[in-house]
Amino acid sequence: MKNITYFVLVILFFYSVKLHAQCNAQETVVICDMTIIDNNNDGVPDGIINLYDQYNSLTGATLSVANGTWFDPNFNFALDEASGDLFLWDLDDSSTAITDFQFQLIDTNSSCTNGVLVTINLVLGAFEGNPLPPQGVNDANITICESILSSFDLFQVFESQPSPHKNGVWEFVGNLGDPSNFLGFGIVPSTFSADIPYEPFGSLIEFDVFEFTYTVPGILPCSPASVSTFKVEVIRDVLSGEGTNYLICEEDILAGVWDADINLRDDQYLLGEDVEGLWSADVDPTGQISDPVDSIVNIREIYDALKASNPMFSCETFTFVYTVEARSTLTDCPDKSTGISFTFYEPLRFFEQEVSPLEICTDDFRPYAISLYDELLFTTENGILYEYPNSPFTSWTLVSGPSDLNIQVNGQIILYDHEVLTPGGLISIEGITNEDAGTYVFSYNVMSDYVCVGNPCADRSALVTVVINPTFYAGEDTVDLEFCETDPMVASPLDLFSLLTTNGIDDPIYQGDAGRWLDSSGTEILNPLTLPEITGSQTFAYVYSTLTPEGCLDRANLSFTVFENYNSGEDAAIDVCDNNAIFNLFDILGGTPSTAGTWSGPDGYVTTDHLGVFDPSLLEGGVYTYTVPDNINGDNVILCPGSQSIVTVTLFESPEIGQGGLYAVCKSELQIDLLDYLDATADLSGDFIDVDMTGVLSGSILDVSQLIEARYDFTYQIQGNPSCDLSSILISISVTEVEAPITENQTFCATEGALVSDLVASNGQDFNWYDTPTDTVPLDVDDALINGADYFVAAVDSNGCESSRVAMTVNLLPFGNPDCEDCISDGVSANDDNQNDQFDLCNLPITFPNFEIEIFNRYGTIVYKGNRNTPLFDGESNVGVGKTLPTGVYYYVFDPKDGMTDPFQGNFYLSR
């Protein structure tokens, strides 16, 4: 440690003039002892100075952040460029030249052409660091274990705040023991190596203390160098030695190689250990170690105990542990232990082919595959089977045979293009050809690592012989062939052999008595084959198999699909009438068309089926085309192209005949014309047929007067074009006869104004009245009755039919008849009180519609003339100029003018 502390010594070297509006003014700041710098004056050194403050203090200037920003060209990462604070403790080295640490104030106002307003050179005094306080009897600054020397850095001896400068020099001063124990500095200058000697059964702690100096250079005006001296105590690590791992095959033990006792302390088992160690008797599973200093074991005894408890142990490891306790309590100097292990391995047991050789056939389908592994017989000891199924430690190889079976690099054996002898010895025999026939020898190899990895025992292998017998070649599988039924390849009778393919290696396909064709159900079929009629498409699948005297089977699958060649038939023509029945165009085609087609024709006629339904009443004549499609496979490949045929339809119109119907006819109509009952548009050139043979039909005239009340059917028919069906409808006539009414002569008073509606008859629902027996128009019910006139009445039913007519006579009693009421007014009061304002003639104007009336005053002068067209007399004269008549008696003369009734007269009184 330094005995002298320096205050901040600032010496100004005037290499340039002070800043008086000049650029790149340079000043030097000297800090000889950075450990005492206290920037915030809190009594705790922090090693921080401010470059603005330093410059202003030196020059009297007033620089601030407004003048520029500080920059460190050497990038020491110790400067806060914004505030100007410089962290001296973050500078790694001391100054060895005045320009080692330069800091520039960059002009933010661009007043300097080079951008630098001020440059400060910092002279930093050397700091050699503060070693940790010495401890222990040896006054060492730090104590470490020998095992960590390779990673120990001498800077760890110093306190971290502040840390010593890194540009110093290390020097070895000496040690307590032999100087040769110090082996020198390492690749990194701050590391060293040493060797602490071992003293068997000596001091329990072997150590040495090494003294070093660390010198940091400096420059004036500070000290030219600063030196720290310190000691490092290194404690030796204990050694438990290097143990040996023995791999022992069981066969060597049984041969007596390991029958004697052995001492584990011998160098062949444990080498280089400290002799103070002990054996871990408490963790010895064999019981061979009786106490911590016992190092004698017997390998044969250990094996015998293992075999007795686990006869099939595969491999078992026994480890004996030697431990040397540490000489120090430092965690870096732990106890050391070494294990000596003995691993016992079982050897592979003997195995061989059980029955030799195994005989199979080329293209053998019985069984599908052969397992060579199943041919092996493995050793059984004490009821335990020692077998070695397929694993990464086993392999099959082909030793000999007529073919190399295409052995691959990966160890698999490929039988031609897709058959494999797997590492497990499973041979798929499908696809082997006659050229592969012969004797094959395979070797099954098992590595001793099968039992346990690292097994020192010997590997084992066994041979398996397989004899492959030839077959009668049946050809190759030939599937998914496709033909149109017109293809010559499938012309009947079809020779199935012509479709089978070969591999180009074997002899031609065998076609002798040892071969046979089978269908998919296993039933034998005859070849050549007669194909059935094809509908749409049909797939045929067969197997051709051969069998040798040795029982070797070969077979080939054959499948092919035959597609129907859709037939569109032959063109045809037909005459059709619009009243013909619906028919199918398909039935008109000639030839033998298939049902796979569809129709198209005039006015957008299309169908989705083959029938081509034709309704003559709805469709038009013209050319109708029947199209059968291409017959394609699942990949849309055309196997059979489609075709077309046409049917030419000539359409004739049938005569218009109407609808016919049931009509009610009254017997009283006497005769009717059946033509009147046809539709207005009907063709009238047809004939009526008397279906019920009434005998009263003449042409179209029917005498209903000769018929009784009943229904009668008549057929009206017309034959149009010969292709048309006979057009006919049924006209049904329902004849209704009404019973005659009952009536008698009837008398009315002339003053009543009796009407036709007043006439009375019975024996009927309703009645029609006529003037004559033959009138066709009934009288209006409001017609006035005529005195002495004859009337004829007919009963009318609900259908409007009339009965025969019955005659009667009407008698009207004249005015003044004592049986009739005298209803003519005897007074008129023309005062507009709505009472007797007019001369009332009762109903006489109705009874005598042609009447005339004259009214006279008492002097016999006519004052009024009237009839049915003039207003009734109301006290006003209508003769001459006309005037209002005075009160008085007046006289009238009423003339009926009916040619039968005499005029009559009377008087009345006019008052006002």
Side-chain angles (χ1 to χ4, degrees):
M1 297 289 294
K2 293 183 179 179
N3 296 321
I4 300 175
T5 57
Y6 293 92
F7 292 96
V8 179
L9 177 62
V10 180
I11 301 177
L12 305 178
F13 294 91
F14 295 94
Y15 297 107
S16 61
V17 297
K18 290 186 177 180
L19 180 64
H20 296 291
Q22 296 184 13
C23 294
N24 199 18
Q26 298 200 20
E27 299 292 341
T28 299
V29 175
V30 179
I31 307 295
C32 288
D33 188 356
M34 67 178 183
T35 65
I36 63 174
I37 300 298
D38 182 7
N39 182 62
N40 58 6
N41 298 314
D42 62 355
V44 179
D46 53 24
I48 302 173
I49 64 172
N50 184 271
L51 296 181
Y52 287 115
D53 294 343
Q54 294 293 326
Y55 183 81
N56 292 339
S57 175
L58 290 171
T59 64
T62 57
L63 286 179
S64 67
V65 295
N67 298 102
T69 300
W70 290 101
F71 171 67
D72 180 359
N74 295 320
F75 298 100
N76 291 285
F77 303 104
L79 175 65
D80 184 341
E81 296 177 344
S83 65
D85 286 343
L86 179 62
F87 296 82
L88 300 177
W89 292 358
D90 290 341
L91 295 174
D92 290 336
D93 299 334
S94 62
S95 294
T96 56
I98 194 172
T99 58
D100 283 348
F101 299 107
Q102 283 192 332
F103 303 96
Q104 298 175 337
L105 182 65
I106 305 303
D107 181 14
T108 58
N109 297 317
S110 302
S111 60
C112 295
T113 56
N114 63 355
V116 179
L117 190 64
V118 170
T119 297
I120 289 181
N121 295 307
L122 172 68
V123 175
L124 184 61
F127 178 57
E128 72 283 12
N130 296 320
L132 297 171
Q135 299 180 22
V137 296
N138 297 316
D139 290 332
N141 298 92
I142 192 169
T143 300
I144 63 174
C145 287
E146 184 182 11
S147 61
I148 69 167
L149 273 179
S150 61
S151 61
F152 178 72
D153 191 328
L154 288 172
F155 279 112
Q156 294 177 241
V157 177
F158 298 98
E159 294 178 350
S160 60
Q161 287 292 329
S163 60
H165 288 137
K166 299 297 190 297
N167 60 331
V169 177
W170 304 92
E171 184 177 359
F172 172 64
V173 176
N175 62 317
L176 294 179
D178 188 337
S180 64
N181 293 345
F182 179 74
L183 302 180
F185 288 100
I187 298 176
V188 179
S190 58
T191 63
F192 75 99
S193 59
D195 182 22
I196 309 301
Y198 170 58
E199 297 180 10
F201 300 107
S203 172
L204 291 181
I205 300 180
E206 292 93 354
F207 69 93
D208 201 349
V209 178
F210 300 90
E211 186 174 2
F212 301 91
T213 59
Y214 181 59
T215 303
V216 179
I219 60 172
L220 295 174
C222 299
S223 173
S226 296
V227 180
S228 284
T229 301
F230 58 89
K231 297 178 180 180
V232 178
E233 182 180 21
V234 180
I235 298 177
R236 176 183 175 275
D237 285 299
V238 296
L239 297 176
S240 58
E242 296 181 8
T244 304
N245 297 324
Y246 280 89
L247 308 180
I248 305 174
C249 183
E250 182 182 19
E251 294 174 334
D252 292 341
I253 297 175
L254 296 176
V257 175
W258 292 90
D259 283 353
D261 290 345
I262 61 173
N263 189 338
L264 297 177
R265 296 295 294 269
D266 292 346
D267 286 348
Q268 67 183 90
Y269 305 112
L270 184 64
L271 178 66
E273 77 277 12
D274 290 352
V275 296
E276 296 86 4
L278 301 173
W279 295 93
S280 302
D282 55 338
V283 295
D284 172 25
T286 69
Q288 294 286 315
I289 302 297
S290 60
D291 56 60
V293 296
D294 182 11
S295 60
I296 306 301
V297 298
N298 188 290
I299 298 300
R300 179 58 186 257
E301 291 177 0
I302 297 173
Y303 165 77
D304 290 342
L306 171 65
K307 192 69 175 179
S309 62
N310 185 9
M312 195 175 183
F313 61 85
S314 298
C315 59
E316 189 75 30
T317 299
F318 299 92
T319 302
F320 302 94
V321 179
Y322 180 71
T323 301
V324 181
E325 293 183 350
R327 304 293 178 85
S328 171
T329 59
L330 294 178
T331 57
D332 293 334
C333 305
D335 298 345
K336 295 293 180 63
S337 296
T338 298
I340 303 169
S341 64
F342 300 89
T343 303
F344 303 155
Y345 291 88
E346 284 189 294
L348 296 170
R349 271 34 175 204
F350 177 77
F351 54 89
E352 64 181 349
Q353 185 174 14
E354 182 176 8
V355 177
S356 182
L358 169 65
E359 292 198 27
I360 61 175
C361 302
T362 59
D363 283 329
D364 199 333
F365 297 93
R366 311 172 319 277
Y368 175 78
I370 298 298
S371 174
L372 296 179
Y373 182 83
D374 292 344
E375 298 299 307
L376 293 172
L377 178 64
F378 293 92
T379 298
T380 299
E381 293 180 3
N382 300 321
I384 298 175
L385 176 63
Y386 291 85
E387 65 173 339
Y388 311 106
N390 176 49
S391 79
F393 302 105
T394 65
S395 63
W396 284 95
T397 57
L398 177 63
V399 177
S400 63
S403 170
D404 62 4
L405 295 181
N406 196 12
I407 299 178
Q408 302 297 297
V409 175
N410 62 6
Q412 292 182 333
I413 299 176
I414 311 299
L415 302 186
Y416 289 95
D417 58 344
H418 65 287
E419 308 309 328
V420 179
L421 170 61
T422 70
L426 185 67
I427 303 178
S428 177
I429 62 176
E430 182 179 4
I432 302 176
T433 67
N434 284 338
E435 291 198 2
D436 298 309
T439 299
Y440 292 84
V441 178
F442 301 92
S443 176
Y444 186 51
N445 310 299
V446 182
M447 299 171 59
S448 62
D449 283 350
Y450 190 104
V451 178
C452 284
V453 175
N455 194 334
C457 302
D459 298 341
R460 283 195 181 274
S461 62
L463 299 178
V464 176
T465 301
V466 178
V467 176
I468 301 178
N469 293 312
T471 61
F472 291 150
Y473 183 52
E476 299 299 308
D477 286 347
T478 308
V479 296
D480 299 331
L481 300 177
E482 294 176 327
F483 304 98
C484 185
E485 64 179 341
T486 59
D487 194 320
M489 285 289 292
V490 290
S492 290
L494 171 61
D495 183 1
L496 296 178
F497 286 114
S498 67
L499 300 182
L500 277 177
T501 59
T502 65
N503 58 18
I505 299 174
D506 291 298
D507 295 332
I509 296 174
Y510 174 81
Q511 299 186 32
D513 294 338
R516 60 177 185 160
W517 285 94
L518 304 175
D519 63 15
S520 57
S521 67
T523 303
E524 187 170 0
I525 65 168
L526 296 178
N527 181 52
L529 177 70
T530 300
L531 295 178
E533 182 178 349
I534 304 300
T535 301
S537 65
Q538 185 172 346
T539 299
F540 301 88
Y542 304 103
V543 175
Y544 177 60
S545 63
T546 63
L547 185 65
T548 68
E550 294 80 15
C552 290
L553 174 71
D554 192 18
R555 65 183 179 187
N557 294 304
L558 172 64
S559 68
F560 58 94
T561 301
V562 180
F563 289 79
E564 179 185 359
N565 183 41
Y566 298 132
N567 183 1
S568 62
E570 298 175 358
D571 295 347
I574 185 174
D575 291 342
V576 179
C577 188
D578 61 6
N579 68 351
N580 288 160
I582 297 173
F583 64 94
N584 294 330
L585 293 170
F586 184 80
D587 297 335
I588 309 302
L589 286 170
T592 56
S594 68
T595 60
T598 56
W599 289 90
S600 61
D603 293 334
Y605 176 86
V606 292
T607 70
T608 58
D609 57 27
H610 70 285
L611 295 176
V613 176
F614 191 94
D615 187 345
S617 65
L618 300 177
L619 299 177
E620 295 185 1
V623 175
Y624 289 81
T625 303
Y626 183 61
T627 302
V628 293
D630 300 331
N631 201 344
I632 61 177
N633 64 10
D635 296 324
N636 293 323
V637 175
I638 298 175
L639 272 301
C640 301
S643 61
Q644 292 181 334
S645 294
I646 64 172
V647 172
T648 303
V649 178
T650 302
L651 185 64
F652 296 93
E653 290 187 8
S654 61
E656 179 63 41
I657 197 170
Q659 298 297 318
L662 174 63
Y663 303 96
V665 176
C666 303
K667 185 174 182 178
S668 59
E669 293 185 38
L670 303 181
Q671 289 185 339
I672 61 172
D673 190 343
L674 294 180
L675 291 175
D676 295 337
Y677 296 91
L678 298 178
D679 291 350
T681 59
D683 188 330
L684 303 181
S685 63
D687 299 317
F688 285 98
I689 306 300
D690 188 351
V691 177
D692 293 331
M693 302 179 68
T694 63
V696 293
L697 177 65
S698 176
S700 63
I701 303 300
L702 179 66
D703 186 356
V704 297
S705 66
Q706 304 299 316
L707 301 175
I708 63 174
E709 185 174 20
R711 170 179 168 162
Y712 301 91
D713 293 334
F714 303 91
T715 299
Y716 182 65
Q717 59 186 26
I718 304 175
Q719 177 64 58
N721 184 274
S723 64
C724 294
D725 296 334
L726 181 65
S727 299
S728 66
I729 57 173
L730 185 66
I731 301 294
S732 297
I733 302 298
S734 178
V735 178
T736 301
E737 184 175 2
V738 181
E739 190 176 347
I742 300 174
T743 189
E744 58 183 2
N745 297 334
Q746 298 174 40
T747 299
F748 301 92
C749 292
T751 58
E752 293 178 4
L755 305 175
V756 172
S757 60
D758 294 323
L759 294 176
V760 176
S762 61
N763 194 30
Q765 296 179 354
D766 200 1
F767 304 95
N768 286 336
W769 296 88
Y770 297 93
D771 277 336
T772 69
T774 58
D775 280 349
T776 58
V777 180
L779 293 172
D780 193 296
V781 294
D782 292 329
D783 287 351
L785 297 178
I786 299 174
N787 185 33
D790 293 327
Y791 291 91
F792 300 87
V793 61
V796 182
D797 64 9
S798 59
N799 294 320
C801 290
E802 292 184 344
S803 67
S804 59
R805 300 179 185 182
V806 177
M808 54 84 65
T809 301
V810 171
N811 181 30
L812 298 179
L813 298 178
F815 181 77
N817 186 290
D819 293 329
C820 296
E821 180 183 359
D822 186 3
C823 64
I824 293 180
S825 174
D826 59 357
V828 176
S829 58
N831 55 5
D832 296 328
D833 61 358
N834 294 324
Q835 294 182 2
N836 297 322
D837 287 340
Q838 295 174 329
F839 183 55
D840 186 7
L841 295 178
C842 302
N843 292 317
L844 292 175
I846 297 174
T847 304
F848 305 110
N850 297 321
F851 80 94
E852 289 182 357
I853 185 172
E854 293 178 336
I855 298 177
F856 301 90
N857 61 17
R858 61 182 177 172
Y859 302 110
T861 303
I862 189 169
V863 295
Y864 173 82
K865 285 185 177 182
N867 54 32
R868 62 181 180 183
N869 296 319
T870 58
L872 294 175
F873 175 72
D874 59 358
E876 297 292 327
S877 174
N878 66 355
V879 177
V881 177
K883 61 180 179 178
T884 300
L885 299 176
T887 301
V889 177
Y890 289 83
Y891 302 90
Y892 66 88
V893 177
F894 185 89
D895 186 355
K897 293 285 187 182
D898 62 350
M900 294 184 295
T901 307
D902 294 331
F904 57 87
Q905 60 184 9
N907 59 68
F908 63 91
Y909 183 78
L910 172 64
S911 63
R912 291 187 179 275

